[in-house]
Amino acid sequence: MRDALAHLGQRWRQSLQLRVVTTTMLLGLLVVSALGGVLYQQIARGLESDKIDTSQSEALALAAQAQTTWDNSTATSVDDLDQAARDIMTRLLAAPGSNPSRYVVMSRSVGNDSDIVLATLRSGVLDLSVVSPELQAAVAASPGRQQTQMSEVTLGGENLPAFIVGSVVEVPNAGPYDLYFIYPLGQEVATMDLITNSFVIAGLTLTLLVGAVAWVVTRQVVAPVRRAGEVAQRLSAGKLNERMPSRGEDDLALLATSFNAMADSLQSQIRQLEGLSAVQQRFVSDVSHELRTPLTTIRMAVDVIHDSRTGFDHSVARSAELLAGELDRFEELLADLLEISRFDAGAAALDVETVDLRSPLRRVVEATRPLADRRGSVVTLHVPDEPAEAEVDERRVERILRNLVVNAIEHGEGRPVDIHVGVGSDAVAVVVEDHGVGLRPGEAANVFTRFWRADPARARTTGGTGLGLSISLEDARLHHGWLQAWGERGVGSRFRLTLPQRAGATLHGSPLPLSPNEEP
């Protein structure tokens, strides 16, 4: 059931047509229910009012007929009076045009002190028990007026509402007697049940018809929008020649025409950008390769000059040292540009093998120790006892780690640098943490941008090219991994590298936290 509910919820979120049709049907059902309720109440009140008026008129006429019969009666004894009462009861039931569902009860009035007591009569299953004491008291208090009451009676095991009309007749020698006419509303209840069933069937049918109409109407609108979404997905997948079919001259046709015009414009601009990007990549690649030949010659000449600097004047010897250092930086920049051009061209590939990340980390820490000593930073490696193995390209991963450690030392301002290694169920992670200047809000997203510097006025002391972190990010993405940065001004920075243990696997989390205050 949970799966079914989840599928239904997903379908509800994804289908505009389903939401529109369902909402229309619900609103239609609400309107039909409200209208049916109002009509039901009006019909019920009309039937009840008509029944009351008819019953009162009939009861008044029958009570007058009964009084006339009593006035003309010559009976004096109890037996004769009882017989006369039974005869009158029979005439009342057989009166022309009378209601066949009417019940009549005659009983001695409250306060009648005559010595002659007649038997209480009833015309059917209903007797004096259905008449409330309040109605009996009201009839006795106002013998010249009809008294009415709505009550409930039981007929055939079914509870029905009933209208009771009470009046008083004077029996010769026996005093006042109450005459009650009981009118069960069984026919009216049956009529209202029929009307209710008709309303329900008509309401459901109308709701379904409204839903069908809404489905047809929304399909005419949703289908082109759905086609536009499918075409947009294919465009985003790189199929730039996809277009929407356009028919007619209505608003949807205008949408299709505008969408196709937008797609044409995007295709043209993307092709222009691809052309410019290809030219740029070719330029960088060609320039980098072309510079290698003269750079080799310059390197040979600089090495000869640098080796002979002891015989030069002090200023010339210093110039030779500066020339050699800047040439080293130029060669590093050239190598980084070539690597970036490979990433841009999509030519970078992995040479995957199972590697314990503790080994390249130890090599990186040892290689950067002279730089750390010069900067006054102590690099501490925190590694677990268990192997931190992953299927990676060791050369690229070691380059990432070296860039991160060098960056931490350079910006650590002589404070300690800590390197943490974590192993999870399906991933390994390395966090390089410094306690230097840190990063301002928003700078963590810019540190991997090519040639970006947090402080442009800050001089590079380690000969960096400005491409190290960019290359590291591309290397991490090539492994389907994450390279993330966190920093706080005056607290320091943390860089986290997370790699899947299996090549090509998808990461779902990292065994180490990115910031000191969060869980991994």
Side-chain angles (χ1 to χ4, degrees), residues 157-232:
E158 182 181 4
N159 293 330
L160 296 174
F163 183 66
I164 303 176
V165 181
S167 58
V168 177
V169 293
E170 286 291 335
V171 179
N173 302 319
Y177 270 74
D178 297 340
L179 196 60
Y180 297 102
F181 297 91
I182 305 171
Y183 296 90
L185 304 182
Q187 184 63 38
E188 287 73 16
V189 170
T191 300
M192 293 309 301
D193 289 341
L194 178 61
I195 292 174
T196 300
N197 294 333
S198 300
F199 276 1
V200 170
I201 295 174
L204 293 177
T205 303
L206 182 60
T207 301
L208 292 176
L209 291 176
V210 169
V213 171
W215 184 84
V216 173
V217 173
T218 55
R219 181 176 177 81
Q220 296 180 356
V221 178
V222 171
V225 175
R226 190 173 295 165
R227 287 196 298 269
E230 294 172 353
V231 172

Side-chain angles (χ1 to χ4, degrees), residues 189-401:
V189 170
T191 300
M192 293 309 301
D193 289 341
L194 178 61
I195 292 174
T196 300
N197 294 333
S198 300
F199 276 1
V200 170
I201 295 174
L204 293 177
T205 303
L206 182 60
T207 301
L208 292 176
L209 291 176
V210 169
V213 171
W215 184 84
V216 173
V217 173
T218 55
R219 181 176 177 81
Q220 296 180 356
V221 178
V222 171
V225 175
R226 190 173 295 165
R227 287 196 298 269
E230 294 172 353
V231 172
Q233 289 180 349
R234 289 194 288 269
L235 285 172
S236 65
K239 300 178 181 179
L240 300 180
N241 293 322
E242 292 289 335
R243 296 294 183 272
M244 281 185 64
S246 177
R247 293 186 297 271
E249 299 178 357
D250 56 9
D251 295 336
L252 295 176
L254 178 60
L255 171 64
T257 302
S258 302
F259 184 92
N260 293 337
M262 178 191 67
D264 291 336
S265 177
L266 288 176
Q267 183 180 23
S268 175
Q269 296 182 27
I270 288 174
R271 286 178 175 172
Q272 291 179 2
L273 292 175
E274 287 177 345
L276 293 174
S277 178
V279 171
Q280 180 185 18
Q281 294 173 15
R282 175 69 63 85
F283 174 78
V284 174
S285 179
D286 290 349
V287 169
S288 301
H289 281 89
E290 291 298 327
L291 285 176
R292 281 203 171 274
T293 300
L295 188 62
T296 302
T297 304
I298 296 173
R299 166 55 67 185
M300 294 173 59
V302 168
D303 288 343
V304 171
I305 296 174
H306 187 267
D307 293 339
S308 303
R309 69 184 183 281
T310 55
F312 300 153
D313 293 337
H314 177 73
S315 58
V316 178
R318 179 56 181 164
S319 298
E321 293 176 354
L322 293 175
L323 180 61
E326 292 303 315
L327 185 58
D328 291 339
R329 285 193 60 194
F330 187 77
E331 287 181 333
E332 291 178 8
L333 176 60
L334 186 59
D336 289 345
L337 287 174
L338 285 173
E339 190 66 22
I340 286 291
S341 67
R342 293 190 189 96
F343 284 119
D344 292 339
L350 294 177
D351 184 12
V352 176
E353 60 180 324
T354 301
V355 177
D356 185 352
L357 295 188
R358 296 179 300 178
S359 298
L361 264 176
R362 291 189 178 98
R363 292 197 296 269
V364 167
V365 171
E366 190 63 29
T368 57
R369 191 177 303 279
L371 174 61
D373 292 340
R374 289 197 304 270
R375 297 289 295 174
S377 295
V378 176
V379 180
T380 305
L381 186 59
H382 307 274
V383 297
D385 297 332
E386 58 180 321
E389 293 183 343
E391 296 178 356
V392 296
D393 186 330
E394 186 173 10
R395 178 183 66 85
R396 294 182 181 276
V397 170
E398 186 170 343
R399 179 168 61 189
I400 297 174
L401 298 174

Side-chain angles (χ1 to χ4, degrees), residues 65-66 69-70 83-93:
Q65 179 183 344
T69 303
W70 280 117
Q83 183 60 44
R86 286 192 289 270
D87 293 341
I88 291 174
M89 182 76 71
T90 302
R91 292 192 189 99
L92 292 179
L93 294 175

Side-chain angles (χ1 to χ4, degrees), residues 42-104:
Q42 291 181 347
I43 294 173
R45 283 196 295 268
L47 288 175
E48 181 180 344
S49 176
D50 182 66
K51 181 69 173 181
I52 291 174
D53 293 341
T54 303
S55 300
Q56 285 180 322
S57 299
E58 183 181 279
L60 183 62
L62 292 177
Q65 179 183 344
Q67 186 63 59
T68 300
T69 303
W70 280 117
D71 292 341
N72 296 328
S73 175
T74 59
T76 57
S77 65
V78 174
D79 292 337
D80 293 340
L81 290 173
D82 283 337
Q83 183 60 44
R86 286 192 289 270
D87 293 341
I88 291 174
M89 182 76 71
T90 302
R91 292 192 189 99
L92 292 179
L93 294 175
S98 61
N99 192 336
S101 62
R102 178 190 66 246
Y103 294 85
V104 182

